[in-house]
Amino acid sequence: MASHEEWTNAQQHRDVTVDGKDLDMAYYDEGEGDPVVLLHGIPTWSYLWRDVAEALTDDRRVVVPDMVGYGNSAMHDEFDRSIRAQELAVADLLDGLGLDTVSFVGHDLGGGVGLRYAVHRPDAVDKLVLSNAIAYDAWPVEPIVNIGLPSTAKEKSVEEIQETLDGMFRQSLASDDPSDEFVEGMKAPWNSERGMVSLVRDAAATNTNHTTEIDPSEITADTLLLWGADDEFQPIESAERLEGDIESAQVVGLDDANHWVLQDRPERYVEELRSFLLDGESA
């Protein structure tokens, strides 16, 4: 398991264009073979995928971006951070890397980006994996709404936001004794005034219209809904609804796993993911 400092040192950077603005995007890019993209949500960053990425690089080229406004990507003001904009940023990154067709794996907001990407670019997505992903009108959840209030950046200190995030991560993990390295790593990008303000902007940009405006039935990619079954933020009922709407979808619910399913059940998650990506079916 890499530390968040080691993960940062392994990242590359590339400019992407969103709505005419050039923005720095940090990303991890290792391995050879058919490409797979791993995309995080809020309030996380690419470090969420550190162990999954390492497990896939023997067979795949693994690209793991920090969405703009997150992690080690651009954090300044004056650009959109919605999932509509994140879709454009990821698309420009993949175009710049010459990746015409990918497997797309998204968690939380990253899953929402994956939904949009698969609907709008059906020929560009070979396989789609959504894990505890936002969809329909089942988001944003109250803790993220509260972080995104305009008053948060003005009235809260960095330390107070760190305490809020600490509670959010620990309470939405299945383990009673979660990994301190995971929690501290997830909180690291937001542990400064600049980071805190960027997180508030990210949270404020959550827009339900960007998932309600798409029709999941238009997705043609083989789809795996690999879900933490105990999630209260994005319950497994959302996965079941997506399964009904996406012709080629199947749900695999992992027990004893909450919202951070790949942290709660890392070995089983990787087993199911590898089986689907490499063999085309769940384990």
Side-chain angles (χ1 to χ4, degrees):
M1 177 188 295
S3 68
H4 65 85
E5 294 94 347
E6 291 170 331
W7 180 265
T8 292
N9 290 336
Q11 288 181 304
Q12 302 179 47
H13 289 259
R14 190 180 188 95
D15 278 352
V16 296
T17 303
V18 179
D19 300 332
K21 296 179 181 292
D22 291 336
L23 302 170
D24 176 57
M25 178 173 262
Y27 64 100
Y28 173 94
D29 185 355
E30 295 289 343
E32 297 182 358
D34 294 338
V36 56
V37 176
L38 310 176
L39 195 62
H40 66 89
I42 188 172
T44 61
W45 57 301
S46 60
Y47 183 64
L48 176 74
W49 296 102
R50 64 209 180 283
D51 294 333
V52 176
E54 183 177 352
L56 294 178
T57 52
D58 286 344
D59 305 292
R60 290 295 191 98
R61 179 179 177 181
V62 183
V63 178
V64 196
D66 283 336
M67 292 192 292
V68 291
Y70 294 74
N72 292 304
S73 291
M75 282 192 174
H76 57 80
D77 277 345
E78 301 176 355
F79 66 90
D80 185 8
R81 294 122 181 280
S82 69
I83 65 168
R84 179 204 66 85
Q86 303 296 351
E87 177 195 0
L88 298 177
V90 170
D92 199 51
L93 174 69
L94 299 183
D95 287 346
L97 295 176
L99 302 180
D100 297 328
T101 305
V102 301
S103 293
F104 199 115
V105 185
H107 177 265
D108 191 79
L109 259 68
V113 175
L115 277 169
R116 292 179 60 91
Y117 196 86
V119 167
H120 295 149
R121 299 167 180 81
D123 294 336
V125 181
D126 177 33
K127 294 180 180 179
L128 177 65
V129 182
L130 305 176
S131 292
N132 298 74
I134 63 167
Y136 308 109
D137 60 353
W139 69 294
V141 297
E142 185 175 0
I144 298 302
V145 172
N146 291 338
I147 288 174
L149 294 174
S151 58
T152 301
K154 299 176 182 178
E155 299 175 2
K156 299 290 186 180
S157 67
V158 172
E159 291 74 18
E160 287 174 316
I161 292 297
Q162 287 284 299
E163 290 176 6
T164 296
L165 294 174
D166 193 277
M168 185 185 304
F169 285 118
R170 293 183 187 279
Q171 292 164 20
S172 51
L173 285 160
S175 173
D176 293 331
D177 186 24
S179 163
D180 287 338
E181 185 172 34
F182 169 76
V183 174
E184 294 306 314
M186 289 298 97
K187 292 170 20 179
W190 322 118
N191 195 19
S192 67
E193 187 72 24
R194 175 175 173 268
M196 180 187 73
V197 171
S198 190
L199 178 59
V200 173
R201 304 285 191 260
D202 296 336
T206 53
N207 187 335
T208 308
N209 292 332
H210 293 159
T211 47
T212 56
E213 72 182 2
I214 63 169
D215 181 358
S217 70
E218 296 178 8
I219 291 174
T220 58
D222 289 340
T223 301
L224 174 64
L225 305 163
L226 185 53
W227 224 264
D230 301 331
D231 190 357
E232 296 182 5
F233 289 153
Q234 300 300 331
I236 199 166
E237 287 78 12
S238 290
E240 293 166 350
R241 182 177 174 186
L242 286 166
E243 183 182 34
D245 285 343
I246 302 173
E247 183 176 355
S248 61
Q250 58 176 318
V251 174
V252 174
L254 301 187
D255 294 331
D256 301 318
N258 205 317
H259 188 66
W260 315 108
V261 54
L262 29 25
Q263 179 68 24
D264 283 331
R265 298 291 304 277
E267 293 180 1
R268 178 71 189 284
Y269 187 91
V270 168
E271 178 186 11
E272 293 286 352
L273 182 60
R274 282 179 56 87
S275 180
F276 179 73
L277 293 178
L278 300 179
D279 303 326
E281 56 186 32
S282 60

